[in-house]
Amino acid sequence: MADSPTLPRPPAGETPTVLVIGGGASGNAVTILLRRAGMDVDLIEARPDWNATTGSGITLQGNALRVLRELGVWEQVAASGYAFGSLGVTAPDGTVLFVAEDIQTGGRDLPATLGMQRPQLQQILIDAVRASGAGVRLGTTAEILDQDADGVSVRFSDGTTGRYDLVIGADGLNSATRAAIGITDKPEPTGMAIWRTAAPRPASVTRTDLAYGGPAYIAGYCPTGENTIYAYLVEACRDRAAIDPAAYADEMRRLAQGYGGAWPEITAHITDPGKVNYTWFDRLLVEGSWHRGRVVLIGDAAHCCPPTMAQGAAMSLEDAVVLAELLSSGQDWGDELLQAYYDRRVPRVRTVVEASVQIGRWQLDGVRDADMAGLIGRTMTLLKERP
């Protein structure tokens, strides 16, 4: 494959063609935005179900909600989720130690925070992609065959081929696109892992509450609708191969039984191992550039961080906005433009990744006088600025 060929914008009058590999938050978002700009976009997703049924819940802060509003789906998101504006910190027994007002990183006209069921968010984005008129192929992967000054040639897993002016790799943490273009960065475990599950919402749960200490490093929950929450417990990494998935509910329930407050009511519903997810925390930040020639990375393919600040989806959604804005600006689609995308995104993403990792590291190291509140406050204040 040629090394970083010059990438001119297609000639005037020709409609640019873009292939988006991956139908998660960033891939869906960039597809919607590029279609709105009048480009021909194909989106492929490896999973036949388009990830529409997986995941428990997601916490979206204001800067993520701002992007969802730009995508035109804010009303659906607001109707599906549960908005709130504060964060409680409790002792393991449930005693509330203090309540802090969340920073409205999306502006005063949006909630500070909204929780929702992850499959509902995905379905809202799926519907918006379909309504955009983009070409969609599910259960499909792509192999990059070659690229030159005129485009990128790809072969799809069904044996067909295609050629595009630009390929966007939005295929997640273990991105095959990232490896295919010669970027050798890989995600690294941070030493922590998380148990997650959905549950009915106790009447007392109207915001996220976090307990630090007890059987786990963090015990928390987030309301995701009038009748639902998702609950999570963060512990040190264990060998995933040594944990029988049939015992997932038992393992999570064992940890949860060490917490009071709303937790006994939540714990009573942790019974189905198929509804419990166990995942390690990872860190990734590709340095230098997020593109090689006509192939560019967004979202988790370029960066990821632990959910200790609930900013992973927000950073991915912001990538889509910035990249779509640059591609729609009328500038040549060359190295200069794609490098500008990286240069614009990386200081903000690096701040979030490093802060998210640091919060976990303080806990792993048992640092009792860490300025966690100060670090979170500084980072969230920065995110009030548009990306």
Side-chain angles (χ1 to χ4, degrees), residues 63-64 66 105 285 290 311 314-315 318 322 342-354 379-387:
N63 57 319
R66 180 168 56 201
T105 54
L285 181 58
W290 294 345
Q311 276 291 315
M315 291 297 99
E318 286 185 0
V322 172
Y342 169 84
D343 291 341
R344 185 165 149 187
R345 289 299 295 145
V346 76
R348 187 176 177 103
V349 172
R350 179 180 286 115
T351 296
V352 169
V353 170
E354 291 181 351
T379 305
M380 299 308 287
T381 298
L382 170 70
L383 296 177
K384 292 172 67 175
E385 301 297 324
R386 295 188 70 86

Side-chain angles (χ1 to χ4, degrees), residues 37-378:
M39 301 179 198
D40 284 341
V41 184
D42 287 338
L43 180 148
I44 64 168
E45 163 58 41
R47 288 180 60 106
D49 67 353
W50 204 340
N51 291 297
T53 60
T54 57
S56 49
I58 186 168
T59 302
L60 300 165
Q61 299 190 36
N63 57 319
L65 302 180
R66 180 168 56 201
V67 175
L68 293 168
R69 183 172 60 187
E70 291 185 35
L71 295 175
V73 299
W74 165 237
E75 290 186 3
Q76 299 97 301
V77 167
S80 298
Y82 191 103
F84 53 97
S86 61
L87 171 72
V89 174
T90 76
D93 67 2
T95 302
V96 177
L97 303 178
F98 66 88
V99 177
E101 293 301 308
D102 286 338
I103 296 173
Q104 290 178 274
T105 54
R108 293 188 177 276
D109 55 344
L110 286 169
T113 311
L114 180 140
M116 66 185 302
Q117 296 176 62
R118 188 178 287 268
Q120 288 189 341
L121 175 62
Q122 178 69 353
Q123 190 60 56
I124 288 169
L125 293 174
I126 286 170
D127 291 344
V129 169
R130 294 226 183 258
S132 77
V136 175
R137 299 169 69 177
L138 303 179
T140 303
T141 58
E143 174 189 0
I144 296 170
L145 298 176
D146 194 16
Q147 61 169 310
D148 55 33
D150 297 319
V152 186
S153 298
V154 302
R155 178 188 293 119
F156 297 106
S157 52
D158 62 5
T160 61
T161 59
R163 189 162 174 82
Y164 296 88
D165 295 311
L166 185 73
V167 172
I168 298 175
D171 48 343
L173 187 60
N174 297 305
S175 169
T177 307
R178 182 178 66 230
I181 61 175
I183 295 177
T184 58
D185 302 70
K186 295 181 180 179
E188 299 176 350
T190 68
M192 283 182 159
I194 187 168
W195 296 92
R196 294 184 176 99
T197 192
R201 182 177 73 87
S204 62
V205 173
T206 58
R207 62 171 186 246
T208 287
D209 283 326
L210 299 175
Y212 293 97
Y217 287 109
I218 307 170
Y221 43 74
C222 174
T224 54
E226 285 300 318
N227 301 310
T228 59
I229 65 166
Y230 83 100
Y232 45 91
L233 294 153
V234 178
E235 64 171 5
C237 286
R238 288 193 261 168
D239 181 1
R240 284 174 286 198
I243 308 174
D244 182 355
Y248 274 13
D250 294 340
E251 288 293 317
M252 185 172 184
R253 192 169 57 251
R254 179 181 60 80
L255 289 171
Q257 286 169 346
Y259 296 94
W263 274 99
E265 189 173 347
I266 296 168
T267 303
H269 295 280
I270 306 175
T271 57
D272 184 350
K275 295 181 179 179
V276 176
N277 175 261
Y278 180 73
T279 310
W280 285 9
F281 285 176
D282 289 300
R283 176 199 187 279
L284 172 70
L285 181 58
V286 175
E287 298 281 4
S289 71
W290 294 345
H291 78 285
R292 297 292 185 271
R294 294 174 174 265
V295 184
V296 61
L297 306 176
I298 63 172
D300 286 355
H303 53 79
C304 78
C305 57
T308 47
M309 294 188 65
Q311 276 291 315
M315 291 297 99
S316 294
L317 290 167
E318 286 185 0
D319 284 355
V321 168
V322 172
L323 182 58
E325 176 188 317
L326 290 169
L327 293 174
S328 307
S329 66
Q331 303 174 61
D332 285 346
W333 288 7
D335 282 337
E336 184 176 347
L337 181 144
L338 295 176
Q339 187 65 38
Y341 156 65
Y342 169 84
D343 291 341
R344 185 165 149 187
R345 289 299 295 145
V346 76
R348 187 176 177 103
V349 172
R350 179 180 286 115
T351 296
V352 169
V353 170
E354 291 181 351
S356 300
V357 172
Q358 182 63 73
I359 290 168
R361 177 47 54 193
W362 278 331
Q363 293 175 287
L364 286 168
D365 292 344
V367 178
R368 297 185 176 276
D369 59 350
D371 184 21
M372 192 178 301
L375 177 61
I376 293 172
R378 291 189 299 274

